[in-house]
Amino acid sequence: MKYKSQKVAYWFFALSMLLFGLQIVYGFIMGSAHAGYDGLHSIIPFNTARAVHTNLLVVWLLSGFMGAAYYIIPEEAQRELVNVKLAYVQLISLAVVGVIAIVGYHFNYWEGRKFLEIPRPLDYLVVVNVLLFLGLILTTLFKGKRKTTTALVLSMGLLFAALLYLPGMLPFDSQVKDSFFRWWVVHLWVEGVWELIMGGILSFLLIKLTGVDREVIEKWLYVIVGLTFLSGVLGTGHHYYYIGVNKIWLIVGGIFSALEPLAFLAMALFAVNMYRKGEKKHPNKLALYWTLGAAIVSFMGAGLLGFAHTLPQTNKYTHGTLVTAMHGHLAFWGAYAMIVLAIISYSLPNMTGRKLYESTRGRVAFWLSNIGMIGMTVAFGVAGVAQVYLERKFKMEFMAVQKEIEIHFVVLILCATIFLTGIISYMIDFYKHGKPNDEALETVSN
């Protein structure tokens, strides 16, 4: 049976959709500037647009993860959330901190540290917010009737994500030391503990959508957790190649970066294998598309494209170029954005009672967003290779090279428009579902 407190998840999902849309807007501003159409520069300089774009990515995904936890944990623990009112307090405070940070960036109120631009006073508010969230989730889990591997892996990922935020708050006078610990947050989130969150959500969805026995699916989770920690922790070394640390990181980073795709390969094999074993014909095919798509696309973006430019011999040339953007966009889309959209697609019909998963609009959203993202990835890749060749081989100046590759951003904007059309279709479906209601949650099972 579903639980009434799962309604909290809907409002976190609504916040994540709003922030996702805003992130795409700032992405278009950046793309237009790269293509030579920087008419908004006096209002929104490129560095501001970039900070907002990357930070909104983190916040909307975290909102989605939190929503997923508020939906999954009560069901896995077989009890209501311990305090629904505090969950809403946490939601509102998260939104307020986000708004202050984004507005502040437009007035140069930030730390200026890439990916961790949020000002220090807001850092403390984020810590309090996340502690409240973890308190609610973990208390619910440990007071519940059961403690499943799925729930424990999801909770462990969320807990470690909170702990790894703290090194980014340490003050340093040295740029090298600051960069060293900053990657503890950035890398160990996206190529470490966030994979645990993805694995937990993926496991939950496959149990619900395929009908494969829980024990079989959760055994795969142990493999994913092992591979994630084996490769992800020391794989941080590929960010240390050229920042002034010991040369040993060239060896460590190279070896463990070569192992990192294994965790994502395991997830892809895990999902496809469970789908093939599944005997349950769940009517929500749309949620299944997003679930399988997340596993497969994450292997392509995070696994293969990540490996393609993180070996020292390659990274010597691609470091700090658009090749990184190629990898980053497809990796974040496959590994984290698609899994958030998958849990939303699964949970919305259960929370609202409206079965809209057979609509053409939902399938259009899935295919257009993926086609658009793959097109953007190719455009970034071509622009990145051209940039590497012109800068590293021909020794051209950075801004002269940017002028030469402007045409690739015209293609990028066209592909981004296809992507946006798909996301708008998804958001229309989201709001067509309406708000959750107790009657739907009382009558729906599994």
Side-chain angles (χ1 to χ4, degrees):
M1 292 296 292
K2 300 294 181 277
Y3 297 86
K4 292 179 181 179
S5 59
Q6 289 175 307
K7 288 188 293 184
V8 176
Y10 173 86
W11 297 105
F12 277 88
F13 292 150
L15 176 62
S16 70
M17 288 292 95
L18 178 63
L19 297 175
F20 186 21
L22 194 57
Q23 187 216 359
I24 294 172
V25 170
Y26 277 85
F28 269 94
I29 293 172
M30 292 173 65
S32 299
H34 264 297
Y37 304 101
D38 199 10
L40 292 176
H41 182 77
S42 59
I43 306 170
I44 307 175
F46 185 85
N47 63 320
T48 300
R50 186 184 187 282
V52 173
H53 182 68
T54 54
N55 280 257
L56 280 173
L57 170 67
V58 174
V59 178
W60 90 256
L61 288 175
L62 284 177
S63 300
F65 291 159
M66 289 173 176
Y70 280 128
Y71 185 85
I72 293 171
I73 295 300
E75 193 159 329
E76 291 291 291
Q78 294 184 343
R79 63 153 292 151
E80 295 283 2
L81 194 66
V82 290
N83 194 315
V84 177
K85 289 182 180 178
L86 282 179
Y88 282 114
V89 169
Q90 190 244 323
L91 168 66
I92 294 167
S93 62
L94 178 67
V96 169
V97 170
V99 169
I100 294 172
I102 297 307
V103 172
Y105 292 165
H106 292 79
F107 295 94
N108 291 324
Y109 180 52
W110 53 14
E111 287 196 352
R113 301 160 68 224
K114 190 166 64 173
F115 303 120
L116 300 177
E117 287 91 349
I118 186 168
R120 186 50 49 92
L122 295 183
D123 270 334
Y124 298 119
L125 294 178
V126 169
V127 170
V128 172
N129 184 277
V130 173
L131 285 174
L132 175 57
F133 165 71
L134 288 172
L136 292 170
I137 289 299
L138 295 176
T139 305
T140 300
L141 179 61
F142 287 103
K143 283 188 174 182
K145 295 178 182 177
R146 64 176 185 177
K147 298 169 185 65
T148 65
T149 302
T150 295
L152 289 170
V153 168
L154 175 60
S155 300
M156 184 169 66
L158 292 163
L159 175 61
F160 286 170
L163 292 175
L164 286 168
Y165 186 76
L166 300 178
M169 296 174 64
L170 298 174
F172 295 104
D173 294 328
S174 164
Q175 178 67 42
V176 174
K177 289 180 181 177
D178 183 74
S179 291
F180 188 91
F181 286 102
R182 183 170 62 86
W183 287 113
W184 282 30
V185 183
V186 180
H187 172 92
L188 290 176
W189 266 20
V190 302
E191 296 175 64
V193 295
W194 278 23
E195 289 180 38
L196 303 186
I197 298 171
M198 179 195 178
I201 299 172
L202 187 63
S203 173
F204 175 82
L205 288 168
L206 289 172
I207 290 168
K208 298 297 181 182
L209 295 170
T210 67
V212 175
D213 187 70
R214 176 182 289 273
E215 287 186 8
V216 175
I217 288 177
E218 291 185 338
K219 281 179 183 177
W220 272 86
L221 263 185
Y222 290 115
V223 176
I224 291 169
V225 170
L227 287 172
T228 296
F229 280 100
L230 171 68
S231 60
V233 174
L234 290 175
T236 311
H238 66 238
H239 296 289
Y240 294 163
Y241 293 158
Y242 313 112
I243 66 169
V245 298
N246 195 291
K247 288 184 179 179
I248 188 65
W249 286 108
L250 287 169
I251 300 171
V252 174
I255 292 172
F256 286 92
S257 292
L259 296 176
E260 279 193 46
L262 293 178
F264 287 101
L265 177 61
M267 283 194 192
L269 293 174
F270 165 50
V272 173
N273 196 32
M274 293 306 105
Y275 169 67
R276 287 179 175 174
K277 282 186 176 183
E279 298 177 357
K280 183 177 181 180
K281 301 298 181 183
H282 199 283
N284 194 340
K285 298 296 182 187
L286 201 55
L288 187 61
Y289 290 166
W290 285 109
T291 302
L292 294 176
I296 294 167
V297 177
S298 67
F299 172 61
M300 293 166 53
L304 293 180
L305 294 184
F307 173 70
H309 82 114
T310 52
L311 291 177
Q313 299 89 334
T314 307
N315 197 257
K316 178 180 179 180
Y317 297 96
T318 61
H319 194 81
T321 68
L322 290 164
V323 172
T324 304
M326 169 196 72
H327 155 62
H329 278 74
L330 195 62
F332 270 103
W333 170 246
Y336 306 122
M338 288 183 74
I339 202 67
V340 168
L341 298 181
I343 187 64
I344 293 174
S345 295
Y346 172 76
S347 62
L348 271 185
N350 297 335
M351 289 190 288
T352 65
R354 294 180 177 86
K355 315 298 183 183
L356 301 183
Y357 38 69
E358 293 182 356
S359 71
T360 302
R361 186 169 48 241
R363 291 190 291 273
V364 166
F366 176 82
W367 288 110
L368 285 186
S369 59
N370 276 286
I371 291 169
M373 179 54 72
I374 291 170
M376 290 166 62
T377 303
V378 172
F380 272 125
V382 174
V385 171
Q387 181 186 11
V388 169
Y389 196 75
L390 294 175
E391 285 184 13
R392 311 300 196 230
K393 291 294 184 182
F394 279 95
K395 309 298 181 184
M396 290 175 62
E397 294 291 333
F398 176 81
M399 290 309 296
V401 173
Q402 296 304 306
K403 192 72 177 174
E404 292 294 329
I405 61 176
E406 280 181 357
I407 184 61
H408 299 301
F409 283 91
V410 174
V411 177
L412 181 94
I413 291 170
L414 292 174
C415 294
T417 304
I418 297 172
F419 175 78
L420 176 61
T421 305
I423 297 304
I424 289 173
S425 298
Y426 188 95
M427 290 180 175
I428 291 171
D429 250 13
F430 182 93
Y431 291 107
K432 285 274 187 182
H433 274 91
K435 297 177 183 178
N437 59 80
D438 291 343
E439 184 181 350
L441 288 166
E442 286 171 352
T443 57
V444 176
S445 63
N446 287 333

